[in-house]
Amino acid sequence: AWAARLRRLGFATFILDSFTPRGIASTGADQSRLSLAASVADALHALRVLAAHPRVDPARIGVMGFSKGGQVALYTLLEPFRRAALGEGGPRFALHVALYASCSIPYLGEPVSNAPVLMLLGGADDYTPAAHCARYAEWLHARGARMRMLVLEGAHHGFDTPEAPRFLPRVQSARDCGLDISLEPIEARLWHDGRVLAGEAIGAHLRGCMRRGGTFGGDPAALAHAIREVEVAARQLRGG
């Protein structure tokens, strides 16, 4: 649906599927089935492919993601990930759009791209809380990212979907994990007391902090607002 909207605005679209080629249908009930690093690498390699396309302006390629993909849209701001996937130099995303991303175990890595970032969050999201992304947005902004964050009051996770909101008891959420992961050097630090975890202690914490259950479903007013915000950001990317 979002690709169709962007095409109506005159943009080419490229839909990246990190699940099907790996035999994955969903990661909702088990987030460990697909590492975020693999998804970030997928997005950056897609950027390289698109930047070489003769009908694509390599300076005007944006990335947009939803939930887990929203994390990818944010983590592709971090130069350590981009450098690991593409080497020194090379293309960079010119716009990052993240809808209802999880920010409870954020990656931290510098430098950070100064490309514009649009974060659209659900005010009633009990699966990936908006407050955690507000914290991450502050960190990104302090390092040069051009942030615009909008919390859509009353909206749940997946507010842009057509289904009515419903509670899913089996989905796995990191909402109680509160762990920053620095990339260079690699270090994991707990939010609540600043304690640094290493080795097996990181895995033990993650296994113990995951929770089950979350509300998913659409909100027509939130979707309409999100469409307007994305259209504005896309037009600015095009330059008009």
Side-chain angles (χ1 to χ4, degrees):
W2 280 104
R5 293 177 188 121
L6 290 167
R7 288 195 297 271
R8 286 194 291 270
L9 293 175
F11 289 91
T13 58
F14 182 100
I15 299 175
L16 176 62
D17 181 1
S18 290
F19 283 17
T20 304
R22 295 181 170 96
I24 298 171
S26 171
T27 59
D30 182 2
Q31 295 294 340
S32 68
R33 296 195 67 196
L34 176 61
S35 77
L36 277 164
S39 297
V40 171
D42 289 350
L44 290 166
H45 286 297
L47 170 63
R48 180 167 59 185
V49 169
L50 289 170
H53 195 288
R55 297 182 63 190
V56 173
D57 183 345
R60 297 184 181 182
I61 302 172
V63 58
M64 183 177 186
F66 314 85
S67 193
K68 197 179 190 78
Q71 293 175 276
V72 173
L74 296 175
Y75 296 152
T76 46
L77 284 158
L78 308 181
E79 178 63 13
F81 273 135
R82 197 206 63 79
R83 188 171 58 245
L86 303 180
E88 298 293 342
R92 288 171 170 77
F93 285 113
L95 173 67
H96 301 253
V97 179
L99 278 73
Y100 42 88
S102 173
C103 302
S104 302
I105 315 173
Y107 283 109
L108 313 179
E110 299 181 59
V112 170
S113 171
N114 66 351
V117 183
L118 175 62
M119 295 175 67
L120 298 170
L121 310 168
D125 193 331
D126 59 1
Y127 183 62
T128 58
H132 294 178
C133 281
R135 178 182 180 275
Y136 193 39
E138 289 180 3
W139 185 89
L140 291 168
H141 176 71
R143 285 150 184 84
R146 294 153 56 194
M147 304 296 305
R148 174 164 172 73
M149 189 188 79
L150 186 65
V151 178
L152 303 169
E153 295 303 325
H156 296 287
H157 197 82
F159 56 74
D160 60 330
T161 60
E163 296 85 5
R166 74 278 189 205
F167 184 78
L168 302 180
R170 292 298 303 159
V171 294
Q172 189 180 57
S173 169
R175 58 182 173 257
D176 289 348
C177 289
L179 186 70
D180 289 331
I181 300 181
S182 299
L183 296 176
E184 294 180 341
I186 296 176
E187 180 182 271
R189 187 178 296 272
L190 292 168
W191 292 1
H192 71 278
D193 62 5
R195 182 161 44 97
V196 173
L197 303 183
E200 175 54 29
I202 298 174
H205 173 73
L206 294 177
R207 287 190 294 273
C209 68
M210 289 291 181
R211 298 292 178 261
R212 294 286 179 185
T215 306
F216 288 62
D219 182 313
L223 172 58
H225 200 157
I227 290 172
R228 291 194 298 271
E229 291 287 335
V230 172
E231 286 183 351
V232 169
R235 288 193 174 101
Q236 290 173 343
L237 174 63
R238 191 169 56 192

